[in-house]
Amino acid sequence: LSDMKDPEASPEDALWEGCQRGASDEEIFECAARADVDARDTGWYNWTAAHYAAERGHVAVVEVLIALQADMWPEDDVGRRPVDLANERGHLRVVEALHMAIDLDDAREDARDPEPMYAECPKDASRFDRLFVY
């Protein structure tokens, strides 16, 4: 980020700082390209970028992190998730976005591990019959 005070800050430091101040989508994407979006800030309760954005109520940043497929459900050192922080501080739009991310995560999981409708196919079946329907 252009206004980072420490030129030797890690890419993760820049990402965390951007999430705290509600940086633009472009800045978050730029930081995320160089950083691990799920990295933990060991200097502050093992928070992730998602914790910082949710705690500050930055819905747009949370949505960018969701789009980047960041883990939106990590627990910090005392067991708080980003949704807990947003809820504690009354950031209801962030809570909604995080709950929608649950549905998105479930859909992604289903897409990665589909269950075929037909478990077995007879050996003498045609090529067409061997197609599984997901």
Side-chain angles (χ1 to χ4, degrees):
L1 296 170
S2 56
D3 63 341
M4 283 291 295
K5 306 258 187 288
D6 183 359
E8 295 187 24
S10 73
E12 286 76 17
D13 288 327
L15 178 63
W16 298 327
E17 188 270 335
C19 289
Q20 288 178 52
R21 70 175 172 79
S24 70
D25 294 1
E26 293 82 19
E27 289 177 296
I28 297 298
F29 277 114
E30 181 183 321
C31 288
R34 296 184 308 249
D36 174 2
V37 294
D38 294 327
R40 302 242 179 197
D41 184 352
T42 58
W44 191 256
Y45 297 103
N46 266 324
W47 277 18
T48 64
H51 284 96
Y52 285 117
E55 188 265 342
R56 295 289 176 101
H58 299 305
V59 178
V61 174
V62 167
E63 290 171 343
V64 169
L65 293 172
I66 291 168
L68 291 167
Q69 297 186 18
D71 181 3
M72 301 310 289
W73 303 103
E75 290 187 2
D76 68 9
D77 286 347
V78 292
R80 295 174 300 186
R81 292 184 168 100
V83 71
D84 301 324
L85 296 170
N87 195 41
E88 287 171 11
R89 287 158 182 77
H91 303 308
L92 299 182
R93 289 182 55 217
V94 173
V95 172
E96 281 181 8
L98 291 168
H99 281 291
M100 288 191 323
I102 290 175
D103 296 336
L104 183 59
D105 286 344
D106 288 346
R108 285 183 183 138
E109 186 62 33
D110 290 346
R112 279 193 291 268
D113 190 26
E115 293 183 21
M117 290 178 69
Y118 305 102
E120 293 186 23
C121 186
K123 292 183 181 188
D124 60 341
S126 69
R127 277 186 27 194
F128 179 78
D129 291 334
R130 289 180 184 270
L131 293 175
F132 286 96
V133 179
Y134 292 98

